[in-house]
Amino acid sequence: MRRVFIIILTLAASTGIKAQTLKVGEQPKLVVGIVVDQMRQEYLYRFYNKFGNDGFRRLIGDGFMVRNAHYNYMPTYTGPGHASIYSGTTPAIHGIIGNDFYNKKSGKTVNCVEDSLQTVVGVASGNGDVSPWRMLSSTVTDELKLFTQKRAKVIGISFKDRGAVLPAGHLADAAYWYDSNSGRFITSSYYMSKLPDWVEKFNGLNLPEKYLAQEWKTLLPIEQYTESGPDDTPYEKKYAGKTKPTFPYNLPELRKQNGNADLLYMTPFANDFLTEFAKTTLVSEKMGKDDISDFLCISYSTTDAIGHAVGPNAIEIEDTYLRLDRAIADLLKTLDKEVGAGNYTLFLTADHGVADVPQYLKDNKMPAGYFNDNYAEAKLNEFLANYFPGKKLIANVSNDQIFLNHEAFQGSPKSSGLDMFIVAELVGKYLMSLDGVANYYTEGVLRQGNYNDEGIKGRVIRGYNPKRSGDIVFVLEPGWFGSGSIQGTTHGSPYTYDTNVPMLFYGKGIRKGFSVEYHPITDIAPTISTILNIKFPSGCTGEPVAEVFPE
């Protein structure tokens, strides 16, 4: 809904201040949110000279870049990242504490968008028991729906279900994600009972077959990839059927041993496929065509899949981003044509960063290492048995959290509470004896802490949800993470390599420029809310990025 608001602030004449007129501009016809899974901020600098003029460079040069944007909590995972971007708050409030996390009530591990009340739509069987019901806060997309009496159109798309569902929010018209068995985009009964005809038509094009019928070779001559390491290193995982992790990748030969249609997810062509779907969504749903603002949420996931396998210094990663640059240029061209240049607002960010491969760091005399959760749990049980023989006190170790078995502490409230306090401290003290552990925080310490605390402790507090998180949270040393493989990498820590991500704003209501001021990722939702003239999400703790607004 495009309106011009005039706010007249009249002060008493005795103050000597004249009346002022504040004019708030018209809303954009469309907001496009782009999340690039596992994208470091430094990729924009490292690959900049090889980008074209119409993708990332256009967003940087004609938009506004926040160069010091960070996640302000731990753990830095995909589910929490998407929820935080769109809710303007952290896991402590929105409740998405991990991609998968231990459920204290059921004693089982659950997925952040898992919903047993829903069924798959679009295929006979698949990943469709999905909804945003575990997210406890509204999103900027929800608030747009509420503001427009649900007349705004909100759609989320991604290869990952959580990358589509969480950004689109609770009131979305639709969310679509990739089914790796069929190569189709599917959805959940939470949104609809059958796929729209245009989605069925798009699926009927069978584009994954086209993408997987080709060879993945470098976009440029491979000797020009000087921003990356050698093509053949011991730090990269190999595709099944290949003896070395090197170019080229003959996809027709590899697909049978790598999950057939699922192999697409491990190639940059998945980004092209998602871009085609985004363009089709835009046109088919007539988004941005009337006076009511719409919202399209796009999450590129394959950057994460490839990044996990090969690490941030691989040629595969550089080639993926050079190709993604072209896909974004293609998307912008379509937006210009269908919505009109100057009629839409776009932001681009990432759900987390990524660590360097620890073994690579170690081999180059840098501090790093691997922490084994299973080993730590076994040693903890052995240690605690000396104090509490015959009792199973550890229920679960996951996401750098330890969940105690509360059933083991039955008895009088006084004695059981004391025992839990003692066990938590014993666990923490033992953790500090293990290589790679930097610190630990018990539930009591975190609940008594200040949400706005700085440093590592503050990031742990903002990622800690009292009802869902564990009894003890531990933080590993920089360069360390939990893994049993020396190939590939991951993320999840409170350190800058995992927290510093792009924050680009472009289009209507955005001035050109950049800022080196610190901004948490939670500032995106209130910034977009301000542009849309809607209220902030219900749990929002961020603030609008003042620098992006024209003077």
Side-chain angles (χ1 to χ4, degrees):
M1 186 179 296
R2 302 169 66 194
R3 298 176 177 173
V4 175
F5 290 87
I6 305 296
I7 301 174
I8 307 297
L9 303 177
T10 304
L11 302 179
S14 60
T15 64
I17 301 176
K18 296 181 179 179
Q20 299 179 34
T21 301
L22 175 63
K23 185 176 181 180
V24 182
E26 295 179 328
Q27 292 106 313
K29 289 187 173 184
L30 175 70
V31 175
V32 180
I34 299 177
V35 180
V36 182
D37 205 323
Q38 202 187 108
M39 185 177 184
R40 284 176 165 183
Q41 167 69 9
E42 62 106 4
Y43 289 164
L44 290 175
Y45 311 140
R46 182 142 58 102
F47 306 144
Y48 183 85
N49 288 336
K50 288 191 171 64
F51 290 146
N53 292 324
D54 301 320
F56 286 116
R57 281 192 181 186
R58 177 178 171 183
L59 297 181
I60 294 169
D62 293 336
F64 192 93
M65 177 165 65
V66 178
R67 300 179 66 175
N68 194 19
H70 288 265
Y71 278 89
N72 59 343
Y73 64 82
M74 165 193 168
T76 41
Y77 296 138
T78 295
H82 283 79
S84 298
I85 291 165
Y86 281 86
S87 70
T89 192
T90 68
I93 295 173
H94 63 59
I96 304 299
I97 64 170
N99 296 331
D100 302 283
F101 52 91
Y102 182 73
N103 185 298
K104 298 177 184 180
K105 292 182 179 180
S106 67
K108 298 178 181 178
T109 297
V110 298
N111 184 268
C112 64
V113 292
E114 174 186 330
D115 185 350
S116 61
L117 299 179
Q118 311 304 329
T119 56
V120 67
V121 173
V123 289
S125 62
N127 179 34
D129 53 341
V130 165
S131 85
W133 77 277
R134 293 188 191 275
M135 185 164 53
L136 305 176
S137 167
S138 72
T139 59
V140 62
T141 44
D142 285 330
E143 296 300 338
L144 179 61
K145 293 289 284 188
L146 291 172
F147 180 80
T148 61
Q149 308 304 314
K150 299 184 181 180
R151 287 176 291 178
K153 191 165 289 185
V154 173
I155 297 176
I157 65 171
S158 178
F159 256 56
K160 294 180 179 179
D161 53 6
R162 56 187 177 269
V165 168
L166 296 173
H170 304 82
L171 298 175
D173 295 275
Y176 303 104
W177 52 94
Y178 184 68
D179 177 60
S180 60
N181 291 320
S182 65
R184 292 166 55 89
F185 278 102
I186 61 171
T187 190
S188 156
S189 57
Y190 179 85
Y191 304 100
M192 61 192 72
S193 59
K194 68 174 186 176
L195 292 177
D197 290 343
W198 69 264
V199 178
E200 289 285 11
K201 183 177 179 181
F202 182 87
N203 283 332
L205 298 176
N206 208 11
L207 292 180
E209 289 298 316
K210 168 192 168 185
Y211 293 122
L212 291 172
Q214 60 188 314
E215 187 177 60
W216 177 19
K217 52 189 177 182
T218 54
L219 194 60
L220 305 175
I222 198 166
E223 61 271 13
Q224 293 185 20
Y225 286 70
T226 54
E227 296 78 13
S228 302
D231 189 27
D232 186 12
T233 79
Y235 311 111
E236 302 175 30
K237 293 180 180 178
K238 298 186 289 289
Y239 289 54
K242 278 186 71 75
T243 58
K244 293 182 178 181
T246 57
F247 283 97
Y249 291 86
N250 189 318
L251 302 183
E253 291 182 0
L254 294 172
R255 61 178 300 178
K256 186 175 182 180
Q257 299 179 69
N258 291 273
N260 285 312
D262 196 28
L263 176 60
L264 180 62
Y265 183 40
M266 292 296 298
T267 78
F269 307 120
N271 291 333
D272 298 332
F273 185 40
L274 189 71
T275 302
E276 289 301 317
F277 189 59
K279 291 159 55 182
T280 303
T281 302
L282 180 73
V283 174
S284 301
E285 294 287 354
K286 298 181 173 58
M287 300 186 79
K289 291 293 188 182
D290 57 24
D291 288 337
I292 299 174
S293 299
D294 297 323
F295 210 126
L296 177 60
C297 312
I298 306 169
S299 180
Y300 289 102
S301 305
T302 198
T303 44
D304 183 69
I306 296 172
H308 274 292
V310 300
N313 293 308
I315 291 176
E316 286 83 354
I317 277 291
E318 181 171 357
D319 194 67
T320 296
Y321 277 93
L322 297 187
R323 292 175 181 274
L324 177 60
D325 178 58
R326 293 188 173 191
I328 289 174
D330 185 28
L331 177 64
L332 291 172
K333 182 179 179 181
T334 302
L335 288 167
D336 289 343
K337 177 184 176 183
E338 297 297 329
V339 184
N343 288 329
Y344 62 90
T345 301
L346 179 148
F347 69 84
L348 183 147
T349 188
D351 54 351
H352 51 73
V354 64
D356 284 292
V357 179
Q359 192 60 47
Y360 171 77
L361 295 178
K362 290 173 67 177
D363 290 347
N364 285 277
K365 302 178 181 179
M366 294 281 288
Y370 296 95
F371 186 85
N372 190 303
D373 281 350
N374 293 330
Y375 173 80
E377 183 173 2
K379 297 301 289 183
L380 270 173
N381 283 324
E382 183 182 309
F383 170 73
L384 291 172
N386 295 322
Y387 296 91
F388 300 90
K391 286 191 174 183
K392 177 176 172 54
L393 301 178
I394 306 294
N396 180 268
V397 179
S398 57
N399 297 331
D400 296 340
Q401 299 177 47
I402 296 175
F403 295 80
L404 297 180
N405 176 18
H406 288 211
E407 292 183 359
F409 299 96
Q410 299 298 323
S412 70
K414 183 177 180 180
S415 62
S416 63
L418 180 62
D419 285 350
M420 285 191 66
F421 175 82
I422 293 172
V423 169
E425 288 299 334
L426 284 172
V427 167
K429 296 295 184 185
Y430 185 80
L431 286 170
M432 293 299 291
S433 72
L434 300 178
D435 290 342
V437 176
N439 210 340
Y440 75 95
Y441 303 92
T442 62
E443 176 189 14
V445 169
L446 295 174
R447 295 187 69 175
Q448 292 173 24
N450 188 316
Y451 183 86
N452 293 315
D453 275 354
E454 297 183 356
I456 301 298
K457 181 181 177 183
R459 292 170 203 165
V460 175
I461 290 172
R462 287 183 287 276
Y464 187 86
N465 184 280
K467 287 189 174 181
R468 296 181 177 181
S469 298
D471 299 280
I472 303 104
V473 177
F474 60 93
V475 178
L476 299 179
E477 299 281 1
W480 283 70
F481 60 69
S483 176
S485 171
I486 64 169
Q487 284 89 33
T489 188
T490 193
H491 46 84
S493 82
Y495 300 114
T496 54
Y497 50 79
D498 280 339
T499 66
N500 187 203
V501 296
M503 188 188 288
L504 297 170
F505 296 94
Y506 174 87
K508 190 174 183 65
I510 305 298
R511 76 176 181 90
K512 297 180 183 181
F514 70 91
S515 172
V516 295
E517 293 291 324
Y518 169 83
H519 284 282
I521 206 72
T522 50
D523 286 354
I524 291 177
T527 301
I528 297 300
S529 296
T530 301
I531 291 170
L532 288 169
N533 296 321
I534 62 177
K535 71 180 189 291
F536 295 177
S538 58
C540 185
T541 54
E543 299 286 345
V545 181
E547 302 98 302
V548 309
F549 295 94
E551 296 179 357

